[in-house]
Amino acid sequence: MQIRSRAPLRIGLAGGGTDLLSYSNQYGGAVFNATIGMYAYCTIIPTTDNRIKITAYDNNNSIDIESVEHFDIVDDNLILHKGVYNRIVKDYNNGKPLSFVMSTSNDAPVGSGLGTSSTMVVAILEAYNRWLGLGLNDYDKAYLAYDIERNDLKLSGGKQDQYSAVFGGFNMMEFKQDGSTVVNPLRVEKSIINELECSLLLYYNGRSRSSAKIINEQIKNTENKNDKTMEAMHNLKQLAYVMKDKIITGDIEGFADILRITWENKKKTSSIISNKELENTINFAMANGAEAVKVSGAGGGGFLMLYCNPINRQKLTDALKTLSGTVFPVKFGKSGVESWITK
């Protein structure tokens, strides 16, 4: 028996950063995002040899040890896998060790700005959920994934990635001051999705980045009530609602306008969100057919999301291919995390 799962990666359309507790617990946050046809994958094969074998093919890390009740996490090696295992054994298996072979992989590099780490946590968690019959609902899965990352493992970040990976599709997410989260799935007309897919490209420069430094500066600026940061954060929250309306009504030109405004506000929340290399790439794209560009995720590197008139799509694609990175099409996905059993 093999248990498989996959969880979708996401692109943030507006409101990113307002899901950080330093902001949402005071003012309430709002994020509008959508999942795409790129995934984090997990396979679990139960065994009876009292061993744990884990291989993460996306970062070439592995372990092969006797089964344990709890992993001591002393370095970054397989930290996500160990964190989920610890919580599953403690809360759902009466503290008894498990025996299995696990393998994981990802369609995008870690640190690329598509929520890869949180999505991997969701995929691993769902594989356990299927294997052990935990019966977790969507909100349970998303919150548990968030709790493991942010509280157990002390990794910096917000909430949107876990919820988008679980729910899938286009979602308006609200992060309440009391700590609760409400996910509002949106039904977007197929013709609008088609137009967006024709108008959007993703460009990856081949260099991932650590989001923690950027996020920690945003948290510090928010806690210190930095005027520039606070104004930008308030704007980003409102832009999430505006972006939702633009997409629901099929106002694609308005979508592009909000994308540009979102990026300009995003840069004001931290001094290290953008850099010379990013700006040079953005300027190059704008000179070759792009009409709006936004860095996906926390910033600092990773994937660029580019909007263009579909007529200029090939021109922009060909121009970007002369650089050192890789161009990807955008294909939106409706489904959230999934799991199944195979022989």
Side-chain angles (χ1 to χ4, degrees), residues 51 103 105 108 110 130 137 149 178 191 198 200 205 228 241 246 273 280 285 291 328:
R51 296 195 70 79
S103 61
S105 61
V110 174
R130 170 71 64 168
N137 66 36
E149 271 196 278
D178 64 2
S191 61
C198 288
L200 293 173
N205 64 7
K228 183 179 178 181
Y241 293 100
K246 297 298 182 185
I273 280 181
N280 285 342
E291 297 178 28
F328 296 83

Side-chain angles (χ1 to χ4, degrees), residues 85-98:
Y85 176 86
N86 286 349
R87 193 65 175 273
I88 291 295
V89 168
K90 174 177 175 288
D91 290 357
Y92 300 97
N93 206 50
N94 296 316
K96 294 185 290 187
L98 294 166

Side-chain angles (χ1 to χ4, degrees), residues 199-203 285 290 292-294 304-308 316 320:
S199 304
L200 293 173
L201 291 170
L202 289 171
Y203 174 77
V293 182
K294 174 185 174 293
L304 290 175
M305 180 169 60
L306 308 102
Y307 167 87
C308 68
L316 177 58
L320 290 170

Side-chain angles (χ1 to χ4, degrees), residues 8-11 34-39 107 114 169-170 190 193-202 305 313 328-335:
L9 304 178
R10 62 99 186 104
I11 51 175
T35 52
I36 57 176
M38 299 173 72
Y39 300 89
D107 283 338
L114 300 180
F170 287 82
K190 180 61 176 173
I193 293 175
N194 290 344
E195 185 67 15
L196 285 170
E197 289 181 345
C198 288
S199 304
L200 293 173
L201 291 170
L202 289 171
M305 180 169 60
R313 179 185 179 88
F328 296 83
V330 172
K331 298 294 182 183
F332 293 103
K334 294 181 180 180
S335 300

Side-chain angles (χ1 to χ4, degrees), residues 285-333:
M286 297 292 283
N288 285 278
E291 297 178 28
V293 182
K294 174 185 174 293
V295 175
S296 186
F303 275 91
L304 290 175
M305 180 169 60
L306 308 102
Y307 167 87
C308 68
N309 186 311
I311 294 172
N312 295 322
R313 179 185 179 88
Q314 192 63 55
K315 172 188 173 183
L316 177 58
T317 299
D318 291 343
L320 290 170
K321 285 181 178 178
T322 67
L323 303 180
S324 60
T326 307
V327 182
F328 296 83
V330 172
K331 298 294 182 183
F332 293 103

Side-chain angles (χ1 to χ4, degrees), residues 219 259 275:
I219 292 172
L259 205 64
N275 53 56

